[in-house]
Amino acid sequence: MGIRLGCIADDFTGATDLANNLVRAGMRVVQLIDVPQTGAEGPPDADAVVIALKSRTTPASDAVEASLRALEWLRSAGAEQIYFKYCSTFDSTRAGNIGPVTEALMDALGTDFTVATPAFPDNGRTVFKGHLFVGDVLLSESGMRHHPLTPMTDSNLVSVLGAQTARPVGLIDHTVVAAGAEAIVRRVDALREEGVGAAIVDAVSNDDLVRLGAAVKDLLLVTAGSGLAIGLPANWGFEPSPAAAQLPPPTGHQAVVSGSVSSATNGQVREFLRGGRPAFSVDPLRIAAGEDVAGQALDFAAAHLADGPVLVYSTEAPDAVKDVQGRLGVAEAGELVERTLARVAQGLVEAGVRQLVVAGGETSGAVVQALGLTGLRIGPQIDPGVPWCAAALPGGDTLHITLKSGNFGGPDFFTTSFAHLDGETV
């Protein structure tokens, strides 16, 4: 039947998050790592394709260029609707990249209107009166206010997006959304007549996202976190089916590589350590001093892989992160850790790891690129927004890998994820 939905995600964990929701709603999904090269094989056999970019924190011009290349490939592959996916915490700076990419895609598609909502109630992200909540607190009061690259200090998404785009930004509030798809369509028509180019949409439940999904079926472009994905597949007649998430059986050793500094991942590391499991801490200052930290981590892992999952992590509390950044610089500290963890992941796979959990968006991007993965088949969900995926390795082996956004997953994620893959839990 061909590709129905073409998706552009601004980071690798966000791409699998989006793909996970599409699979749960019955679509067969393939995630591509960056835009396929000219002359590569044709479109994969899938109902939806998600192109994962590493554009969330790049200069806005680079993010726009990469997104337009992805759009061109998806349209040539027959995608009927385009979905620009960003983080459920609307991660961005005052200059972008959400606004500039959205406008560039609108211009390329020749459309005058789109919607925007990072809402994902299953993970505690809701939008009400245009304000984003993380759990029970406003975005500006959450841990995201301490993010080292994109600190979020304004919860008013109309204001945040309005500062990033030349087009007027409006609001479709919850009274309209609760009234149903037809009411949303009428509000869209009214906003268009007023010259509004993009509208933040309230959503506090999955039902709201389902109603919104039905309302935007005729829009060429939608922009959202991963939550809206639960409301779109039904527009093409898809229904939830276990067959959409089938992967080959797992083999090999198990490992976790974590570079996220989020509060959720900090808790997951602490829970792993409390269980007495083997873990190696990566210190950016030791890397900067010239020590072979990656080699040390791999030597440590080699002694423990046979006994179950091994964790290699560089995850610290906000104060510790700021101290390291103050000594090394924000960009340098992040790049040192990413390069080291990517090398560790390569070494773990060479040592026989075939079940790999990666935590953190930037870390996931570095690891996937280091491993040379070009595509992922999306499988079963572990926690909301986090699925297992399967990728082909050179030589024919299958690597099962999950790319976890820093803020996602329960406290015991680093251990229960492997049980999900083995089929021990549902």
Side-chain angles (χ1 to χ4, degrees), residues 39-405:
E41 294 182 5
D45 178 22
D47 306 310
V49 171
V50 181
I51 294 181
L53 304 177
K54 204 164 180 277
S55 59
R56 181 169 299 170
T57 57
T58 61
S61 59
D62 293 347
V64 165
E65 189 275 333
S67 300
L68 289 177
R69 283 193 296 110
L71 173 65
E72 181 179 4
W73 189 92
L74 290 167
R75 294 285 279 180
S76 68
E80 299 170 14
Q81 186 176 51
I82 301 299
Y83 190 134
F84 170 41
K85 193 275 175 193
Y86 37 74
C87 188
S88 64
T89 48
F90 218 65
D91 290 20
S92 53
T93 65
R94 190 164 183 81
N97 291 342
I98 295 174
V101 170
T102 297
E103 285 202 299
L105 294 175
M106 292 177 71
D107 289 342
L109 289 166
T111 185
D112 66 343
F113 186 86
T114 190
V115 294
T117 182
F120 190 5
D122 283 353
N123 264 331
R125 312 300 194 262
T126 54
V127 181
F128 186 71
K129 298 297 181 183
H131 288 69
L132 178 56
F133 288 80
V134 177
D136 294 328
V137 302
L138 287 164
L139 173 67
S140 56
E141 298 171 8
S142 74
M144 283 303 299
R145 69 187 186 277
H146 300 305
H147 194 285
L149 299 178
T150 52
M152 299 303 293
T153 57
D154 187 356
S155 306
N156 185 338
L157 301 188
V158 175
S159 172
V160 172
L161 186 58
Q164 299 179 19
T165 176
R167 288 174 167 84
V169 178
L171 173 66
I172 301 176
D173 72 17
H174 193 258
T175 57
V176 175
V177 176
E182 292 183 2
I184 298 172
V185 171
R186 289 194 296 271
R187 176 63 174 156
V188 167
D189 291 341
L191 289 171
R192 273 179 145 152
E193 290 182 5
E194 296 170 12
V196 170
I200 301 296
V201 185
D202 282 356
V204 299
S205 69
N206 285 348
D207 288 342
D208 291 336
L209 293 172
V210 171
R211 286 188 280 264
L212 176 60
V216 301
K217 65 180 181 179
D218 293 326
L219 293 185
L220 288 176
L221 171 70
V222 296
T223 84
S226 64
L228 182 56
I230 69 174
L232 296 181
N235 292 337
W236 289 282
F238 292 101
E239 297 180 351
S241 168
Q246 288 182 343
L247 295 180
T251 61
H253 296 311
Q254 302 168 334
V256 181
V257 174
S258 174
S260 170
V261 298
S262 73
S263 57
T265 303
N266 268 296
Q268 290 155 1
V269 169
R270 288 193 298 269
E271 184 68 19
F272 192 94
L273 297 176
R274 272 196 292 269
R277 300 176 183 275
F280 184 94
S281 177
V282 170
D283 184 348
L285 297 178
R286 288 171 52 205
I287 303 171
E291 292 188 41
D292 182 12
V293 176
Q296 296 167 11
L298 290 170
D299 288 343
F300 175 87
H304 297 281
L305 282 173
D307 300 322
V310 174
L311 168 65
V312 179
Y313 68 101
S314 179
T315 300
E316 299 289 350
D319 288 345
V321 173
K322 287 181 180 179
D323 179 59
V324 171
Q325 290 175 337
R327 299 189 193 190
L328 302 179
V330 175
E332 179 64 16
E335 290 172 4
L336 282 174
V337 171
E338 285 178 32
R339 287 198 300 268
T340 299
L341 292 180
R343 184 183 157 201
V344 168
Q346 283 180 302
L348 289 171
V349 171
E350 290 170 2
V353 168
R354 294 295 181 268
Q355 302 172 51
L356 181 64
V357 172
V358 186
E362 298 301 315
T363 304
S364 293
V367 166
V368 166
Q369 290 175 335
L371 293 176
L373 306 183
T374 58
L376 305 174
R377 175 67 67 174
I378 308 302
Q381 174 175 279
I382 305 168
D383 274 344
V386 194
W388 274 109
C389 308
L393 292 172
D397 279 2
T398 295
L399 173 68
H400 288 79
I401 185 169
T402 184
L403 309 176
K404 186 192 81 72
S405 176

